[in-house]
Every structure is written in structure tokens, then in C-alpha cells.
């Protein structure tokens, strides 16, 4: 679905007037491949280049060196941009910059019109996506009158309604309460499993990525690691090195194992910890 | 009492739709030097509430007393309140507006009447405290990553040396390391006597750092207590749509499944001990 080969990107920082702009390298020879229909996550410290990379996936930024392909379309800024944006839909970190409608519903409808969704399908898609994020009661509200989390939900509903081939969520859940956060991840997984939509999740919440097919770890503009959640979470030292951490339950299981409980590590979910504890008790040979 | 709030009500003027009674008869007080977290589902009134604390929004009825004096009094100097009660917004973009990071952080101190040199000194120190390095000082705040922007916004408020620091979801968008750094800074400030009030959706961070948690629900405060007290009330949490911290949830599930852990805890070390003890207690063969 998406392939990045040797991608380099630098921003020009202008800063104080009169001074020469400085070039800041945000992506440093990034190679990665995302298969169609997969659910992948990108994690990394603040400023590691996650958003910059994501903006390459729908042609908001173009590589200074190297190439990004969406299917077989290179994002070189030469004419296939509209096609690329039809395929890849992005939800940004700050929803203020992407909400434009006068009401929540209009905002979602606007996105659908842009994607040339037939009018007769629009209402149903709007209803479904509002329901999915739990925003139905605010449908006629002016987006300016929403709370922070409700704005994020509006942006997510807009992207979900479009049902693109690839959905990029760039910290789209950063301001949601735990239940809403879980709900959004559930919706994304459902779109992935049932409709084969490729999902790219960028997040600082480690508990959101435990179901990904693959996790990419970024550090200072470089993809330094990639692997399945079990692989990535097997080594607490590795994550710490990159300013990241284990989910709480994973840490707890590490501690219990160190104190002698024969747990199979890493444990990624409370449910899994419980199962293993019950198994150990049955076996009788705990400590 | 440092801040004393009585029967506060606030309704947003309707935008064509229905008007929202966002704060409903809020009565609560905050002691000097305390560390309080505010939780609650999206739209429960948290941001609306904290925007009242420095007079940014004015209640329809009720009163807020700061150091014994009503901030709604005719002669009350709201501008001085804004210096004493620093508010960091939910969206950092909403409070960054200068050309460079350093100017932005120096804006508050300048505004308080400090000369440029002193103001920049204060700004540098605040930026350093949130982990923004010299190399970003001359960047435009809009040329930063999401997490960097948030740290600059926090520094801008810190630079004014407020007595009360109110932060609306300050850790949203911060990486785990930066989060820990921010919270140890807040703890340090609490040690220096600063009162901390923050909104958070992370039950983990509330459990680890706050002494008290207020839970908002439909514009009211529906729970008020220590994190352990509040989070172990599963029934009420379910009703209002909140979740336990993950560690506590583990313990709760383990107990439900018949492994006799004694009590619930949010702390990893305590959880470890309790689970080990329960597992040693023999199997139910
Ligand atoms: N518009 C811009 N102009 C100049 N530099 C920028 C711009 N946007 C980002 N940068 C810089 O590029 C680097 C990568 O930023 P990016 O936004 O991709 O990070 P990120 O991994 O998404 O971080 P976060 O977790 O904080 O959102 C950072 O050092 C940042 O300061
Ligand atoms: N400017 C506004 N005009 C009208 N209504 C508003 C405005 N801002 C917020 N509201 C409404 O007031 C209620 C409380 O909003 P508030 O922003 O206080 O919620 P919150 O608890 O901070 O939520 P979040 O966790 O999503 O930030 C919400 O139902 C919201 O729709
Ligand atoms: Mg980012
Ligand atoms: Mg809010």
C-alpha cells in the first residue's frame, strides 16, 4: 500500500527576521513498507519525525531525497495528488486546523463531497460515523462550541465516514477519555478487519498499539526498530532508550516474573495476565 | 483556604442549538500547596471549570474566593489574578503567538513589568525546566512538533512564577519520557508551595501524582477523594463512564476470577506484592 525508500526531509526554519533560514533534518533516510490491509503503529519521542513521515503518506509533504509510493503512485507532486488523497485520509493532532463546517454534520458532509461520495449514501455514512464516536447528540452543534475531545471526535468521524483505503490517525486520540479512546481504536480495528482498510496509528499510548500487526519505532528522524508488539515489548530497556515505555500491565508482569512467577513474557493485556495466573494456579507449581 | 468556590453555575449561550448548562452548582475548595487532578468524560465541563479559576470565564451565579477575596468583587484586580493563577490551555496553539519560542515564553514576565533582560532570563529558565533546548529558542512556535509546542506553552506560564498552576490536559501529546519529566517538575513546584490543579484523561498519571481527584459528570462534581478511593469505586466509575488505571483493573479482574488478592491498588509495587501473596496462598485444587 505504502512504500518509503530512502526518504529524507528537512524543514527550513526561519526564526528571527534577517537571519538565514536553517535547515533541520526531520527524516533521515527512512525505509519502510506498509502492506495493504495491515494495521500498523508508529511510535517515537516528541520531534522524532512521526507527523512529518505521516504527511508524506498523503502528499502534504514531498521527500527531498528518496521516494514515497502510494500503491504504485510516487508522491512527487506531479499531478497524481488528487488520486493519492482519495486513497489516504488523515486525522491530525490538532483538529482545529481541519474542521471547517458550520455544524458537526456539515463538516463531515463536506469531506464526503470532496471524496465524491454519492449524495444518497451521505446521510447513512454520517449517521454511522457519528454513532461510532458517540457524537450523535452534537450533530447540529457549531464545532467551535465543542469541548476539546468532542472536536477530536468530529475529525475522526469525518475520516471514518469517508472510508478511505488507508486511514492515518496522528495522535487523534490524545485528548479523549479512556473509554472514548478505546472506542476509537475499536472502530479503527473494525474498519481494518471488516473492510480491509489499512490503518496507520501514531500515538504515545502504548496500550493502543498492542493489536497492531507491526510497530515502527522512530528516533531522531530514523526508523530504528520494527516488529510485532510481542517483539517490541519484549525488551523494556530498548523502549526506555527511545524515551518510550511499556504498558502498565506489561511492566507489572515483568516484575512478577522477576519475583519468581513463571509468566510467559511479554504480557500485553490484563486479560492475558489473568489467564496466565489462573494457569499457574491450576498447575500448582507457582513459587 | 486558598480557593473557595460556592455554587458556581455557567451556561454557554446557545449557538442556534440548545444552550448548555456546562457547570451546575459547583461547590469545592482547594488548599494551598495541594495537587488536584480533574477527570471526567469528554464534554463533562472540565475545561469550562478551569477557565473560571483565573477569571477567563465569568460565572452566571455563585462565587469564587481567592485568598479570601471574591474575584467578582467590583474592585478586584483580575489582571493580578491572572499572574497568580497561571492557566495552560488544552490546545497549546491557542496560547502561542510570538515570533520565536523565547519571545513567547518571555511575554508573560514582560507583561508583568520586568525589563527585557530579566524577562528573557525568566523565560530561559522556564524553557529549560520543560526540556526545550537552546537550539529551539529562535524557532517560530509554529515550526515545532506537537509535543514541543505543548512544552513551550507550559514554559510561558511557568515563567510568570504563578502561585497556582492550572493545566488543562498538559500531558496530551507528550511522549512518556517528557510526561515523567513534566510531572516531576510539577511535584517539585508543589514542594516549593505552588498549588497544582490539572485536568487529565490518564488515570495512571492521576493515580501516581495527584493527592486528590475530582470527577466531573454532566457539569457537576460527582466524586471527590484520593485516587485510591475514587478508582476503587468500580460501580460509580462504570456509571459515569470512567475506567480504573490499568494496574488496578488487573487486580480487580484477578480478584473477580477468584484469586484472593487483598485490596486494590494503583501502584505497581503494591500490586506486585499483593498478587504474589495471593498466588502463594496455595491453589484451589
Ligand atoms: N513546520 C515546521 N518547520 C520547521 N521544523 C519543523 C516543522 N514541523 C516540525 N519540525 C521539526 O521537525 C522535527 C520532527 O517533527 P514532527 O512533527 O515530525 O515530530 P513528531 O514525531 O510528530 O513529534 P510529536 O510527538 O511531538 O508530535 C522536530 O524537530 C520539529 O521541531
Ligand atoms: N464555546 C462554547 N460554546 C457553547 N458550548 C460549549 C462551548 N465550549 C464548550 N461547550 C459545551 O460545554 C460542555 C462542557 O465543555 P468543556 O469544554 O468544559 O468539556 P471538557 O470536560 O473539558 O471536555 P474534553 O475532555 O473533551 O476537553 C460540552 O458539552 C460542550 O459542548
Ligand atoms: Mg506529531
Ligand atoms: Mg477540555
Amino acid at each position: 500500500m505504502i512504500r518509503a525508500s530512502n526518504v529524507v526531509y528537512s524543514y527550513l526554519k526561519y526564526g528571527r527576521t534577517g537571519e538565514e533560514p536553517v535547515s533541520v533534518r526531520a527524516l533521515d533516510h527512512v525505509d519502510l513498507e506498509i502492506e495493504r490491509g495491515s494495521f500498523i503503529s508508529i511510535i517515537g519521542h516528541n520531534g522524532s519525525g512521526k507527523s512529518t513521515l505521516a504527511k508524506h503518506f498523503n502528499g502534504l509533504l514531498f521527500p527531498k531525497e528518496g521516494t514515497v509510493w502510494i500503491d504504485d503512485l510516487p508522491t512527487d507532486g506531479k499531478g497524481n495528488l488528487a488520486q493519492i488523497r482519495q486513497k489516504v485520509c488523515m486525522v491530525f493532532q490538532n483538529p482545529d486546523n481541519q474542521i471547517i463546517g458550520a455544524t458537526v454534520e456539515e463538516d463531515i458532509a463536506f469531506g464526503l463531497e470532496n471524496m465524491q461520495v454519492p449524495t444518497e449514501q451521505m446521510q447513512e455514512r454520517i449517521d454511522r460515523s457519528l454513532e461510532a464516536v458517540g457524537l450523535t447528540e452534537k450533530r447540529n452543534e457549531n464545532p467551535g462550541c465543542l469541548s476539546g475531545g468532542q472536536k477530536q471526535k468530529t475529525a475522526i468521524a469525518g475520516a471514518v465516514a469517508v472510508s478511505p483505503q488507508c486511514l492515518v490517525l496522528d495522535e487523534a486520540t490524545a485528548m479523549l477519555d479512556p473509554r472514548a479512546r478505546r472506542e476509537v481504536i475499536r472502530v479503527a480495528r473494525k474498519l481494518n478487519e471488516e473492510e480491509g482498510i489499512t490503518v496507520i496509528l501514531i500515538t504515545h499510548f502504548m496500550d493502543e498499539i498492542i493489536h497492531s500487526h507491526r510497530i515502527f519505532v522512530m528516533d531522531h528522524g530514523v526508523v530504528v526498530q520494527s516488529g510485532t508488539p510481542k517483539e517490541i515489548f519484549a525488551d523494556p530497556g530498548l523502549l526506555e532508550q527511545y524515551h518510550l515505555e511499556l504498558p502498565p500491565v506489561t511492566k507489572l508482569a515483568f516484575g512478577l516474573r522477576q519475583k519468581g512467577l513463571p509468566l510467559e513474557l511479554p504480557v500485553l493485556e490484563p486479560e492475558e495476565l489473568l489467564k496466565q495466573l489462573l494457569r499457574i494456579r491450576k498447575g500448582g507449581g507457582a513459587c | 483556604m486558598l480557593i473557595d468556590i460556592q455554587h458556581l453555575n455557567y451556561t454557554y449561550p446557545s449557538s442556534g442549538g440548545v444552550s448548555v448548562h456546562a457547570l451546575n452548582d459547583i461547590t469545592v475548595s482547594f488548599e494551598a500547596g495541594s495537587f488536584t487532578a480533574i477527570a471526567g468524560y469528554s464534554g463533562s465541563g472540565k475545561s469550562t471549570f478551569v477557565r473560571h479559576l483565573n477569571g477567563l470565564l465569568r460565572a452566571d451565579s455563585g462565587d469564587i474566593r481567592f485568598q479570601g477575596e471574591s474575584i467578582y468583587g467590583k474592585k478586584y484586580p483580575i489582571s493580578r489574578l491572572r499572574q497568580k493563577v497561571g492557566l495552560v490551555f488544552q490546545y497549546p496553539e491557542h496560547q502561542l503567538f510570538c515570533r520565536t519560542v523565547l519571545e513567547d515564553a518571555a511575554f508573560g514576565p514582560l507583561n508583568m513589568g520586568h525589563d527585557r533582560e530579566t524577562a528573557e532570563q525568566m523565560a530561559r529558565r522556564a524553557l529549560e525546566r520543560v526540556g526545550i533546548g537552546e537550539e529551539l529558542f529562535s524557532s517560530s512556535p509554529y515550526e515545532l512538533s506537537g509535543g514541543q509546542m505543548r512544552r513551550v506553552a507550559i514554559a510561558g506560564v511557568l515563567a510568570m512564577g504563578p502561585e497556582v498552576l492550572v493545566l488543562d490536559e498538559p500531558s496530551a501529546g507528550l511522549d512518556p519520557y517528557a510526561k515523567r519529566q513534566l510531572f516531576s517538575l510539577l511535584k517539585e513546584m508543589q514542594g516549593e508551595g505552588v498549588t497544582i490543579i490539572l485536568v487529565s484523561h490518564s488515570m495512571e498519571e492521576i493515580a501516581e501524582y495527584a493527592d486528590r481527584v475530582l470527577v466531573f459528570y454532566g457539569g457537576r462534581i460527582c466524586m471527590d477523594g484520593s485516587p485510591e478511593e475514587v478508582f476503587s469505586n468500580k460501580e460509580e466509575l462504570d456509571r459515569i463512564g470512567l475506567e480504573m488505571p490499568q494496574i488496578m483493573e488487573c487486580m480487580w479482574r484477578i480478584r473477580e476470577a477468584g484469586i484472593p488478592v487483598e485490596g486494590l491498588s494503583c501502584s505497581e509495587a503494591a500490586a506486585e506484592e499483593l498478587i504474589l501473596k495471593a498466588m502463594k496462598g496455595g491453589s484451589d485444587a
Side-chain angles (χ1 to χ4, degrees):
Chain A
M1 175 89 220
I2 294 178
R3 193 148 61 86
S5 160
N6 227 0
V7 171
V8 173
Y9 189 84
S10 345
Y11 291 99
L12 283 181
K13 288 205 184 194
Y14 291 92
R16 288 180 204 268
T17 36
E19 281 174 24
E20 281 292 298
V22 205
S23 152
V24 181
R25 184 165 284 195
L27 295 179
D28 193 1
H29 299 281
V30 169
D31 282 303
L32 101 181
E33 196 166 344
I34 297 167
E35 272 175 53
R36 172 178 296 279
S38 60
F39 188 123
I40 72 110
S41 301
I42 303 176
I43 57 178
H45 64 83
N46 289 139
S48 58
K50 303 179 297 296
S51 300
T52 306
L53 182 59
K55 285 176 187 157
H56 280 77
F57 296 158
N58 73 341
L60 274 174
L61 295 176
F62 306 114
K64 303 266 160 142
E65 285 173 40
T67 317
V68 174
W69 285 273
I70 310 301
D71 289 331
D72 44 8
L73 302 169
T75 68
D76 50 10
K78 294 199 196 94
N80 46 25
L81 212 56
Q83 251 174 304
I84 286 170
R85 300 232 169 112
Q86 286 277 339
K87 289 174 190 268
V88 183
C89 190
M90 215 166 130
V91 183
F92 296 103
Q93 235 163 322
N94 180 354
D96 273 5
N97 303 337
Q98 54 190 329
I99 297 177
I100 35 187
T103 69
V104 168
E105 195 168 321
E106 266 177 42
D107 188 73
I108 300 173
F110 188 77
L112 292 175
E113 273 167 24
N114 255 350
M115 294 294 178
Q116 286 139 30
V117 172
T119 321
E120 60 275 13
Q121 282 184 24
M122 286 194 3
Q123 198 56 49
E124 198 212 321
R125 289 213 197 181
I126 293 172
D127 292 348
R128 236 183 339 147
S129 62
L130 282 174
E131 189 67 41
V133 299
L135 207 59
T136 306
E137 62 173 277
K138 294 282 182 190
R139 63 188 313 152
N140 296 319
E141 203 62 60
N142 174 345
C145 299
L146 296 177
S147 77
Q150 290 162 346
K151 281 184 192 160
Q152 280 199 321
K153 289 180 179 178
T154 307
I156 295 168
V160 166
V162 167
S163 184
Q165 286 177 32
C166 176
L167 179 62
V168 183
L169 300 171
D170 187 357
E171 294 191 43
T173 60
M175 286 182 190
L176 299 183
D177 59 75
R179 200 157 284 188
R181 209 149 66 67
R182 185 176 295 205
E183 198 50 31
V184 168
I185 298 302
R186 201 185 61 77
V187 170
R189 286 180 69 196
K190 199 166 152 220
L191 289 174
N192 174 253
E193 281 162 18
E194 293 176 5
E195 299 179 33
I197 291 176
T198 309
V199 177
I200 299 174
L201 180 69
I202 298 174
T203 183
H204 290 299
F205 294 103
M206 300 301 141
D207 60 337
E208 291 182 353
I209 63 177
I210 54 173
H211 296 291
S212 332
H213 299 125
R214 198 157 195 82
I215 297 170
F216 295 92
V217 183
M218 294 195 67
D219 183 59
H220 293 99
V222 179
V223 174
V224 284
Q225 283 282 334
S226 84
T228 63
K230 289 265 180 198
E231 286 162 2
I232 297 291
F233 290 131
D235 181 359
L238 177 123
L239 287 173
E240 200 156 317
Q241 178 189 340
Y242 298 125
H243 283 191
L244 301 169
E245 68 182 356
L246 297 173
V249 59
T250 313
K251 243 187 285 177
L252 176 63
F254 265 104
L256 289 170
R257 164 77 171 262
Q258 260 168 9
K259 298 266 167 68
L261 275 190
L263 291 166
E264 271 172 46
L265 300 179
V267 173
L268 303 184
E269 284 182 281
E271 203 51 50
E272 198 184 334
L273 177 64
L274 173 61
K275 264 196 206 137
Q276 291 208 37
L277 290 178
L278 288 172
R279 176 180 54 78
I280 292 170
R281 261 164 73 89
K282 263 231 179 74
C287 305
Chain B
M1 204 49 74
L2 184 69
I3 304 175
D4 197 12
I5 297 174
Q6 295 285 334
H7 304 292
L8 213 62
N9 281 285
Y10 184 78
T11 303
Y12 283 105
S14 78
S15 67
V18 269
S19 56
V20 181
H21 194 174
L23 295 180
N24 194 339
D25 196 31
I26 301 278
T27 294
V28 64
S29 51
F30 300 92
E31 263 178 71
S34 57
F35 194 129
T36 309
I38 298 177
Y41 69 87
S42 256
S44 56
K46 305 180 297 298
S47 296
T48 307
F49 175 70
V50 296
R51 283 196 290 246
H52 278 79
L53 297 177
N54 73 343
L56 209 57
L57 287 178
R58 194 193 164 94
D60 300 329
S61 65
D63 196 16
I64 299 181
R65 289 178 167 273
F66 183 70
Q67 295 172 329
E69 222 181 317
S70 168
I71 69 166
Y72 296 142
K74 270 217 169 60
K75 295 217 177 90
Y76 193 86
I78 283 287
S79 61
R80 218 182 54 224
L81 179 73
R82 298 249 165 99
Q83 288 164 15
K84 289 187 173 179
V85 182
L87 171 63
V88 180
F89 292 166
Q90 187 163 359
Y91 286 106
E93 291 87 342
H94 293 175
Q95 79 191 76
L96 299 172
F97 45 84
C98 294
R99 236 163 0 111
T100 71
V101 165
L102 187 63
E103 279 174 39
D104 215 299
F107 182 84
L110 266 181
N111 215 22
M112 287 166 70
H114 293 286
D115 59 61
R116 179 158 290 277
E117 199 176 327
T118 317
E120 288 203 354
Q121 202 70 35
M122 293 164 90
R124 278 169 189 279
R125 192 172 139 62
L127 286 165
E128 197 177 301
R129 284 185 103 175
V130 298
I132 291 291
E134 191 95 31
E135 74 281 1
L136 290 176
F137 284 8
S138 61
S139 298
S140 148
Y142 290 97
E143 294 173 346
L144 301 176
S145 81
Q148 290 164 341
M149 230 185 256
R150 177 164 301 279
R151 293 192 233 177
V152 173
I154 294 171
V157 173
L158 282 188
M160 291 190 280
E163 287 173 41
V164 182
L165 190 53
V166 183
L167 308 105
D168 199 348
E169 301 193 31
S171 66
L174 294 185
D175 65 49
Y177 178 85
K179 239 178 247 191
R180 265 201 306 276
Q181 216 184 14
L182 169 67
F183 276 92
S184 56
L185 171 61
L186 295 179
K187 275 302 202 192
E188 195 182 303
M189 297 186 61
Q190 185 192 12
E192 292 161 9
V194 177
T195 307
I196 312 277
I197 299 173
L198 63 85
V199 177
S200 172
H201 284 305
S202 163
M203 305 306 134
E204 275 74 27
E205 102 198 354
I206 293 176
E208 189 166 351
Y209 299 104
D211 304 322
R212 173 188 183 196
V213 47
L214 301 175
V215 181
F216 273 67
Y217 181 75
R220 293 174 188 271
I221 293 176
C222 71
M223 294 171 98
D224 179 356
S226 74
E228 300 261 328
E229 274 164 20
V230 166
F231 291 137
S232 53
N233 190 345
K234 172 95 167 118
E235 230 169 85
E236 185 68 359
L237 289 182
D238 278 345
R239 186 181 74 81
I240 61 179
L242 269 198
E243 304 199 338
M244 291 178 168
Q246 199 181 40
I247 295 287
M248 199 182 239
E249 189 199 328
C250 284
M251 302 188 71
W252 188 81
R253 285 196 192 203
I254 290 169
R255 200 173 62 182
E256 287 291 291
I259 301 177
V261 284
E262 288 168 30
L264 296 173
S265 170
C266 307
S267 112
E268 221 174 271
E272 209 177 278
E273 207 156 293
L274 288 168
I275 292 174
L276 279 173
K277 199 164 149 222
M279 291 296 285
K280 280 201 179 111
S283 64
D284 41 359

